[in-house]
Amino acid sequence: GGIHWGIDTSTSTLSITVNAEANEADRGVMNDYAGIEAPWNSAPGYSSVCNIVVEDGVKNIGGCAFNSSRESKKTFNNIVIKSDVAKIGKYAFANSIIKNLSIYGFRNTQSGLDATAFVSATEDGNNLIVNIEQVNCYSGLSEYFTLFKTTDIPASEEDTRNVQKNENIVINAYNVVISSTNLLGSNDKAYATY
């Protein structure tokens, strides 16, 4: 495949990295999954994972990659999505409770981010909600997350349930000055715009 993954049990962290040996078309590409079939879900140590880092070189987060079942929502303390990710698929983090989400990609766009990527089913299953406490956007996504804070929106054409607003989301929007190498580096400065 186009990615490698590993679990560091000492830090309870799942890391997704690029498979540099994959052919060029597949390099950094994560598959879409169904249900909870992503390979790490059945790996020893995944039940204790509370942090995810998607490293540079990974181009997308596949559908249902980190989702949980409605009955047993998984809590993540920190999710870090680095700058090369340009697509997040359907229900990628569905039914997850996320305490801190940092996104560095999606510089000036929201395209490529599925409306259902971060939603969770409510207890009765009739509606959806985004269970995120804090979002740090080093990207063009602050408006996307603000939607979930301020208004009820339809999840997608396939999912007719509304996404309920969650006024408790804290959104830190940063305007990142890109260095000449176009990668986040030590020369970059983040200016708070909120």
Side-chain angles (χ1 to χ4, degrees), residues 133-137 141-149 168-174 194:
E133 289 180 19
Q134 181 162 320
V135 181
N136 302 305
C137 290
L141 293 183
S142 56
E143 291 175 9
Y144 171 85
F145 287 104
T146 301
L147 276 176
F148 298 120
K149 184 180 176 75
N168 298 320
I169 300 174
V170 174
I171 300 168
N172 295 324
Y174 297 95
Y194 57 96

Side-chain angles (χ1 to χ4, degrees), residues 100-157:
N100 198 304
L101 172 66
S102 296
I103 299 185
Y104 292 85
F106 296 90
R107 289 279 171 219
N108 300 302
T109 182
Q110 295 176 23
S111 89
L113 181 58
D114 192 274
T116 62
F118 292 95
V119 298
S120 297
T122 54
E123 293 304 315
D124 60 12
N126 294 329
N127 289 290
L128 302 170
I129 193 162
V130 174
N131 283 322
I132 300 176
E133 289 180 19
Q134 181 162 320
V135 181
N136 302 305
C137 290
Y138 301 85
S139 65
L141 293 183
S142 56
E143 291 175 9
Y144 171 85
F145 287 104
T146 301
L147 276 176
F148 298 120
K149 184 180 176 75
T150 60
T151 189
D152 292 338
I153 61 170
S156 71
E157 291 176 16

Side-chain angles (χ1 to χ4, degrees), residues 55-129:
E55 295 287 1
D56 282 325
V58 177
K59 297 175 181 174
N60 72 301
I61 296 174
C64 296
F66 306 109
N67 70 339
S68 308
S69 68
R70 188 177 73 183
E71 297 74 32
S72 56
K73 291 181 171 67
K74 188 162 180 64
T75 298
F76 295 106
N77 291 334
N78 288 291
I79 295 175
V80 177
I81 300 173
K82 296 288 184 73
S83 58
D84 291 335
V85 170
K87 183 179 180 199
I88 302 178
K90 279 186 186 309
Y91 305 112
F93 295 92
N95 295 314
S96 300
I97 298 168
I98 302 170
K99 294 190 175 175
N100 198 304
L101 172 66
S102 296
I103 299 185
Y104 292 85
F106 296 90
R107 289 279 171 219
N108 300 302
T109 182
Q110 295 176 23
S111 89
L113 181 58
D114 192 274
T116 62
F118 292 95
V119 298
S120 297
T122 54
E123 293 304 315
D124 60 12
N126 294 329
N127 289 290
L128 302 170
I129 193 162

